[in-house]
């Protein structure tokens, strides 16, 4: 691995210490509720919400004094009740290839990772987490070895975007040539086990008066929680990605236990029924290349048959190893011939470039140590109790 990776462990923003209510990350309705609570005249709440929302999400302000269209006495009142602090960034790593990984402490013992991946073109995607850990246990995935700590709230999902925007210096939203243009729910966790919060977070992330990221630029990736696929599409208007990884039930159930609950036939039907599916809004199927497991020509043939009639492309992901993993990545030659076969059948089949591997930020490598922290906290508490 390269030695030029920049490791920056210094918190960029100090941990919030106040007990004030945190506004950053909240949606419009919650902000309105808070304003009512502190006694803002009900008929003015809508207008004030609009102003504050715009300051937080368009300008990224960090102090109420920056809200210049709000009179000083009200700013003082807001300051007394609320804070615009961000959560603590426990660790920030920058890869030699420009990928940035953030470990964010949302609350004591709850740490999440998000990864910013700049593209060679003008775009860049932020890979966000929807849960801390995951209840599913896909055998090739590091997150799958971490038990679920909890679902993230909508606010905590939005905060991941805010932190990346802060770090990239991309305020205001109207700034031209922003690099953070897309959001992918491909971090820790299964977004379709947390659909309400994913949906609510997108209302804020996609709001044109706020963070302003278009719904077409959002991709939600699922391991295949069939009953949630259609409703999520209708609720969010997001692009769908399916972690497929195998085209027959026997193999898929072995490497992705969720397949036992929702087998391929049901999964593919949910894909065919995905709201808004068309040639310009294709589904992405992700397929991790595991040497000797799912990478043979007959696997490619099965895959092609399975995809028949679905507007889609296939992203081939070279397996990213993690400590203790049982798999090996397929040889590049094997991946290329697999890709050629899928391409020849009429499906775009790019091989995903592995990014951020020197900072352990590649697909499937995320695993916070929230679990360990909790265990050590428990030990400390036990010791205190003993004394
Ligand atoms: N839980 C959702 C969202 C996570 S997305 C899902 O499974 O779709 C993370 C993507 O990386 C998924 O496609 C996942 O299957 C893939 N992945 C997991 N572990 C990986 C690994 N070690 N190497 C490459 N890709 C991996
Ligand atoms: Fe969970 Fe997705 Fe990893 Fe499977 S691949 S364990 S669903 S995060």
């Amino acid at each position: 691995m390269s030695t030029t990776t920049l490791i920056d462990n210094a918190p960029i923003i100090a941990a919030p210490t106040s007990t004030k209510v945190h506004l950053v990350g909240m949606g419009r309705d919650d902000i309105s509720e808070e304003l009512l609570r502190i006694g803002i005249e009900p008929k003015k709440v809508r207008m004030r919400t609009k102003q504050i929302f715009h300051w937080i999400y368009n300008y990224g302000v960090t102090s109420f004094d920056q809200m210049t269209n709000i009179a000083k006495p009200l700013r003082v009142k807001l300051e007394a009740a609320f804070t615009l602090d961000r959560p603590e960034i426990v660790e920030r790593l920058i890869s030699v290839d420009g990928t940035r990984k953030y470990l964010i402490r949302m609350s004591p013992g709850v740490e999440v990772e998000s990864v910013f991946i700049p593209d060679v073109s003008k775009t860049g995607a932020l890979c966000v987490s929807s849960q801390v850990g995951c209840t599913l246990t896909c055998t090739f995935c590091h997150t799958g070895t971490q038990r679920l700590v909890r679902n993230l709230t909508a606010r905590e999902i939005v905060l991941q975007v805010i932190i990346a925007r802060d770090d990239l210096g991309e305020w205001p939203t109207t700034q031209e040539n922003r690099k953070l243009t897309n959001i992918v729910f491909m971090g820790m966790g299964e977004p379709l086990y947390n659909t309400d919060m994913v949906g609510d977070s997108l209302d804020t992330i996609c709001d044109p008066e706020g963070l302003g990221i278009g719904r077409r630029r959002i991709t939600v990736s699922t391991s295949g929680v069939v009953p949630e696929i259609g409703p999520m599409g209708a609720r969010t208007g997001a692009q769908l990605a399916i972690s497929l990884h195998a085209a027959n039930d026997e193999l898929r159930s072995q490497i992705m236990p969720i397949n036992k609950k929702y087998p391929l036939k049901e999964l593919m039907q949910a894909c065919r029924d995905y709201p808004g599916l068309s040639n310009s809004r294709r589904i992405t199927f992700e397929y991790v290349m595991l040497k000797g497991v799912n990478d043979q020509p007959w696997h490619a043939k099965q895959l092609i048959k399975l995809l028949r009639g679905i507007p889609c492309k296939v992203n081939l992901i070279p397996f990213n190893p993690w400590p203790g993993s049982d798999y090996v990545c397929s040889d590049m030659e094997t991946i290329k011939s697999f890709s050629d076969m899928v391409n020849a059948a009429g499906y775009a089949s790019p091989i995903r470039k592995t990014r951020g591997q020197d900072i352990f930020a590649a697909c499937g490598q995320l695993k916070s140590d929230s679990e360990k922290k909790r265990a050590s906290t428990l030990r400390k508490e036990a010791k205190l109790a003993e004394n």
Side-chain angles (χ1 to χ4, degrees), residues 134 136 138 140-142 185-191 221-224 241-245 256 286-288 317-322 352 363-365:
C134 189
L136 299 168
C138 305
F140 48 82
C141 175
H142 202 203
F185 283 81
M186 294 187 184
M188 295 159 65
E190 170 48 60
S221 175
T222 179
S223 57
I242 300 283
S243 295
L244 191 64
H245 308 321
M256 301 185 75
E286 295 158 283
Y287 197 98
V288 64
I317 316 175
F319 170 68
N320 297 306
W322 38 271
R352 191 182 286 170
C363 271
Q365 289 186 325

